[in-house]
Amino acid sequence: MAKGNIRSIRWSPSSLALVAVAAVALLHSTTTAAPTAATQSLYGLVERLLPKAYHSTFDFQIVSETAIPPSSPKNKYDVYRVSNVAAAADTADSNAAGHGGRRPTVLIEGTTLSALGVGLKFYLEQAAQVELTWSGNRFNELPAQPPRVPDLELDSGNVVTTGHVHGSFVPWRYYTNVVTFGYQFAFWDWNRWERELDWMVLNGVNQLPAMVGQEYVQREFFRSLGVKEADFDSFFSGPTYQPWQRMGNMQGSWTYELTGAGTAADELAYKNRWIDSQWALQQKILARLDGFNITSVLPAFQGFVPRALKNLYPQADIRNSSTWSGFPIEHTNVTYVEPTDPLFSKLSVDYIKLQDKLNNGHRSHHYLLDLYNELTPSCLTEACLKAISKTVSQTLQTANKDAVWVMQGWFLTGSAWNPARAKAYLEGIQEANGQSFVYDLASDSVPVWERFSGFYGSEFGWSVINNYGASQGLFGKLSEIQVLPYQAFAKYPNTLRGMGVTAEGLNNNEFIYELTLTFPWANPDQPALNVPKRLEQFIQRRYGPSRATPQVQQAWKLLSETVWDCPSVLESGLAKETGSKSYIEKPPALDMANTGWLGTNIWYNKTTVVHAWDLLVKSGIAERNAPHGRPLPTSYIFDLVDTTREILLSTVFPSVHGSLIAAYNRQDIAQIRAAGRQLLEVANDADRLLSSHSLFSFGAAVKEARDSSNLPLPTGATTPASFNRNGFRQFLESNARNLVTWWGPESAGLADYGSKQWGGLISSYYVPRWKLFIAQLELAAQEKRPFDPVAYSALVLKHETAWQAQKWGDRSGESWASNGSASIDVVRQLWVKYAALAAKIAAAED
Ligand SMILES: *[C@@H]1O[C@H](CO)[C@@H](O)[C@H](O)[C@H]1NC(C)=O
Ligand SMILES: *[C@@H]1O[C@H](CO)[C@@H](O)[C@H](O)[C@H]1NC(C)=O
Ligand SMILES: *[C@@H]1O[C@H](CO)[C@@H](O)[C@H](O)[C@H]1NC(C)=O
Ligand SMILES: *[C@@H]1O[C@H](CO)[C@@H](O)[C@H](O)[C@H]1NC(C)=O
Ligand SMILES: *[C@@H]1O[C@H](CO)[C@@H](O)[C@H](O)[C@H]1NC(C)=O
């Protein structure tokens, strides 16, 4: 049959029948026995996520590499084929009972488990038009009868009829950023981890830094060396800060100093208990990674040690590292063992041995080791840097002859590094015959691979970070990210071996991240991604085909051409390293147009964005009010809240701030008051909106933190009667509060770096700051003098300090969590209230 004939009839029932026949003809034997142990984990995933009717739909088969010819020679890793199984009557095979005893209708073959996972996603997307995302899924809307695999045209332009074959051109797809373990995962329980691991499988992730609970191994290890309990307190950090402590940027915790509650000893007890519970969690994560065949990247001995280790090894080369981000000496200048000292090798090998012993049979050859993340090496000659990496690589190989040294390329952004030094450092590993893999952490905004010649022969991965500090604004670089990885691969085809999503936080810009994880499955020589079409399909899956109306598609098309299409270099010449912070979450000031990581950069046509919001909200309201109206999918509600947030905080709020400052400049007291009132009204409206949805709610975040006090402990671990559970919960809450505000022991260098546009945070933290600011402006006008930043700072510091110690729920209006049921009503009210104003502001400012 000629392809041309099929093209015209695709998607019709008769064409599906044809496909089925063709599939039977092609697929030699589709016999399935009971699922093998290897694929058991995928059946588990199906049962967890999908309705019962789908539990026996799939026949997962691991096949040899020769069984499925890849669609292009370069797409040779993790190849899968998705096809229909013939109707039962068509075969005489009576052994063909699938999982659950019923005959499967969809055959998913793959050369690896990861391939099968992506094959399943392909089916869910293309046949069933659903998808698992952070903001929800429409699995409850799946057809009662599992649909057949459609005959359809993909990006190749060819109509596929006999099984859809895809493969990845890189062997590794990795996920997360080490700091995501602080910003996002810190308080997760097993249920939440389980869902994320399922998401990873469906999105083809086959490598994951497995960072949870490593302090348990460290503690055992340092105890075995003779470090005393009292010496741990100044070393281990609280839950949300562990990533930076692991990298030697900072150490210790400061909750009791901040809140005035308890003592250092209490705090150590909390941290110890926390470490125990994380270890129990890690065992579950590792077991599931094994089940899914996701390669874990395990911690190695990083060299950073409690200060007291120097006393135990007075002869060893133990030093203090550099200061990080303006932290006070006691919480930074972390003590470390110089890697060229024999003690480093000994401790590394012993550490990995202990980790293997504690890890209950879980094994990996991949080790994460960042020696200089945002730190300055003790020596900077090429010979010395090479000696360091050579020794470390040899050490890892002594511990595990197949060791792969995984590191984040971000360290090379430090001012101490130049190409010659970087080359020497990375070549030292090759001289030791070692393997390395560098995550180019932010290829979308700071492509380190480019500046450092693809890491001088080391294997590396290309990744999209998109949201430093886990920021939430609608942001992306769609035009750039869809071509850059292929350019990188064309330049380094032998060493670019991975692609990843290195988001620092979830629950934002889902399309950007989902899209990034599809890049490896395109033909790198002619990717032909057709991103506009992918976005349309994404919206269909997200809202359901019947709700993805032309208006809705138009809204997303406009957004993809504006908020998601930020160029790296603006006309102003400004390089856009980060997303854009909204004014509300930054320290109030006369001039809010900061640059750098607190920057606000609105690079897009606001009229277009306001128009897109208008289309989306109208569609959402119409859909909700339709006579046949079923509840809106949670992702639809999420998007309504998210776009309304963007309009209120990125268009309206800055404009009202402009009026406020203009009134101040004119010393117009009445107008200062009026604009001030309006600014607070916008803020409170945003707060009400965001409080209605748990993914935008500070109360929900605090609840997650406090609830994590109940995480199970490892077998045998007990809680002493004297343990202060309320103190523990407050310690957890304080960690959550501090990270999104001061980001440290005091209002220091990173304040507001982790800020959030969250309901509850706006009302309790940001609004009081703005109130104080407005009052100071008014006072200045009354006294006919300039605004006094010192007086303002003193007042705001008092407010911020008190806030750190508060307990959520103690004040009126502090609610814990919401299920989004009220969101649409709030969106509608705010749309009625602000649509005209937003359009007017946009027109005036574009
Ligand atoms: C498991 O993962 C490794 C590493 O990606 C791969 O080489 C192997 O083929 C995989 N096996 C299965 C059954 O997925
Ligand atoms: C590191 O800094 C601490 C705190 O200032 C100091 O007490 C200690 O002696 C220093 N250690 C080394 C090895 O320099
Ligand atoms: C801390 O690091 C800075 C360099 O960043 C250094 O000048 C200082 O001496 C260090 N202090 C200690 C106590 O190690
Ligand atoms: C912004 O978009 C609107 C609506 O599409 C258009 O009329 C206007 O010319 C655009 N402004 C600029 C500066 O491009
Ligand atoms: C959401 O919460 C509201 C009020 O808190 C409740 O009435 C409603 O039943 C909840 N909806 C769902 C789907 O849980």
Side-chain angles (χ1 to χ4, degrees), residues 320-323 329 333:
N320 281 342
S321 190
S322 44
T323 299
I329 298 285
N333 284 70

Side-chain angles (χ1 to χ4, degrees), residues 605 607-608 846:
N605 183 324
T607 300
T608 308
D846 273 338

